[in-house]
Amino acid sequence: MQLFRFSAVTWNAHRIHYDRDYAAAEGYQNILVQSHLHGCFLAQAALAWTSGSGVLRRFRWENRHFAVAGDTLTCTGIVKDTYQKDGWGLVDIEMEERNQDGLLCAPGWATVALPLRATDKRERGH
């Protein structure tokens, strides 16, 4: 259902995303997860990490391996850098989305902005 709905809202009518027989004729065991949905999963994971207080400032990802309906996709990430700019705390995150077999489907890179606490501002001399 998720793949069908994502295709609908993104106007993606390619049959490989909703027609199992067509996907099989192309050599896949099931319908394919849309390329942009991989990016959405990674962006959603970055924002979820902020517990709703973050703003996505920069984001990019690369599709490396396909995923099909029924795959279990897991997004993880590590903080690569933290810094302050324009009254925000910025966090650079390196991320990846892997399937249940450990295959890398999509690496990603995000910068999320978090509001500084009053104590953070006092430490900066504000």
Side-chain angles (χ1 to χ4, degrees):
M1 186 58 71
Q2 183 180 36
L3 298 179
F4 172 78
R5 288 179 175 169
F6 192 81
S7 284
V9 300
T10 59
W11 293 76
N12 185 343
H14 196 301
R15 290 175 58 189
I16 207 161
H17 299 300
Y18 65 87
D19 184 332
R20 187 182 307 233
D21 292 335
Y22 185 86
E26 294 286 324
Y28 299 102
Q29 68 267 34
N30 207 336
I31 57 177
L32 292 182
V33 173
Q34 298 88 341
S35 296
H36 289 91
L37 189 53
H38 292 283
C40 289
F41 288 152
L42 287 166
Q44 183 180 24
L47 290 173
W49 176 77
T50 72
S51 300
S53 63
V55 176
L56 198 58
R57 287 286 175 94
R58 283 187 300 232
F59 178 74
R60 72 181 181 90
W61 86 97
E62 298 171 1
N63 291 311
R64 297 274 177 86
H65 192 273
F66 67 88
V68 297
D71 279 353
T72 299
L73 301 175
T74 303
C75 296
T76 59
I78 58 170
V79 171
K80 296 300 282 186
D81 195 13
T82 61
Y83 48 101
Q84 296 178 4
K85 183 178 178 184
D86 300 327
W88 289 87
L90 299 173
V91 182
D92 291 335
I93 306 168
E94 194 170 284
M95 308 176 72
E96 60 184 29
E97 176 204 54
R98 293 184 179 270
N99 71 7
Q100 68 278 358
D101 298 323
L103 291 172
L104 178 63
C105 294
W109 301 266
T111 299
V112 293
L114 299 164
L116 293 174
R117 299 177 308 225
T119 56
D120 294 333
K121 290 178 183 177
R122 281 195 300 272
E123 289 169 7
R124 292 178 37 221
H126 289 264

